[in-house]
Amino acid sequence: MTSFQQYLKKIRQPHKTAVKITLLNADETEKQDITNQMFDISGNISVNYQNGARRSCTLKINNDRNRNPIDINHIWFGQKFKVWAGIYLDDNTPLYLPQGVFCVTNPTDTYNPSERSVTIQGVDKWAYFDGTIAGNLSGTYQTNIGNNLFEATRGLLRLSKYDNGINVSDKTEMIDPLDPNLSNYYIGKFDSFGNELLKCPYTATVQRGGTMADVLLEYAKILSASIYYDANGRLVIEPLSSLDDFNEDKEILWDYTIDEKEMTGLETSYNFDKVYNDFIVLGNIANGYQAKARIQNHNPLSDISIEKIGLKTKPPYEDSQYYSDSQCEALGKEYAKQEGMLKKSITLPSLPLYHFD
């Protein structure tokens, strides 16, 4: 039985949480394990499903005898750290699963008769692009027609932390030393006009006063992509939706049942007014033709199909940056996936399940 299989079995039983926190060097190799300096293993991690900044955390570190001062050699501006969490297996060995790579922002040093601690606010590496730590543009950033958007993204990550006007080869000087993870979906793919998906279709500009994050989000819009940092601190670019996965059955990560302690309750609210079964996306007009797509729910197995409840059209979405029918279709399918279902808001208190992402 693999250690992960042991984890899946053990987590349903009484178990002890395992936590590991490491400070990272500039190239993101491990610098120092500070797990034993945690203050009562106190902290929390938040993950939101969105483009851009997705992960944040708060950690409290024991600072007896000022072992972790807030200064340039210890806890300091932009210091990266990685958080792992898991459980101790039956043989008392820990199994750790990555929960994110974070950057220090706005630490608090507490010093009183009963406590000496440092509380760290951490955000994922998107903070280097959205202005939280760095990323504000001093001039216009331009991506030319035909530029490869993956190479353009990698170029942004390889910019120098000390001079954003140049690319560097030294990983310790790069904004992000890890290559982005590009979905295979984009490799060798073309849109309905025969244009390579990874080639920039227009001159994309972000004006002075914007951020590098705005540039990356512009690339994501062109590619109809999700863009975010994963649990290992690597930038991910993956399609919002595609024909291949539109009706694909997804892997089940966990089966909750009311007889087991993982789920401690369940509350479901239904929002009938937010149900749609018709989605229209309108794009750019070129040579008298407007890029467009319309996705409708005619699925006989769906309780909210047009045939079951009538036509319920979402207000059309229009953006001139969408230049092809295939782009509009991808966005329409994404809307259909997210909003073409009976809206249920579910609150599910649960014990931590560390393999969730």
Side-chain angles (χ1 to χ4, degrees), residues 187-242:
I187 307 300
K189 289 285 184 70
F190 297 83
D191 65 20
S192 56
F193 295 102
N195 301 310
E196 190 175 348
L197 289 185
L198 284 175
K199 294 293 181 67
C200 190
Y202 54 83
T203 301
T205 58
V206 176
Q207 302 296 328
R208 181 178 58 210
T211 66
M212 292 184 192
D214 295 328
V215 177
L216 292 173
L217 291 172
E218 183 73 10
Y219 295 167
K221 179 186 288 188
I222 294 170
L223 294 170
S224 297
S226 292
I227 185 166
Y228 62 93
Y229 275 98
D230 66 15
N232 284 301
R234 194 173 178 193
L235 188 69
V236 174
I237 305 169
E238 61 188 15
L240 290 175
S241 176
S242 72

Side-chain angles (χ1 to χ4, degrees), residues 7 49 52-53 89 96 103 131 157 288:
Y7 157 83
Y49 183 71
L89 303 176
Y96 298 114
C103 309
L157 272 57

Side-chain angles (χ1 to χ4, degrees), residues 294-313:
R294 187 167 191 170
I295 307 297
Q296 294 185 325
N297 179 356
H298 293 287
N299 186 349
L301 300 179
S302 171
D303 290 335
I304 60 166
S305 67
I306 293 173
E307 288 74 15
K308 298 281 182 64
I309 68 169
L311 191 67
K312 183 77 182 295
T313 304

Side-chain angles (χ1 to χ4, degrees), residues 26 40 42 131 133 139 181 187 221 256 264 274 296 298 339 345:
D40 294 332
S42 175
I133 292 176
N181 182 10
I187 307 300
K221 179 186 288 188
Y256 282 103
T264 59
K274 296 181 180 178
Q296 294 185 325
H298 293 287
E339 303 185 40
S345 175

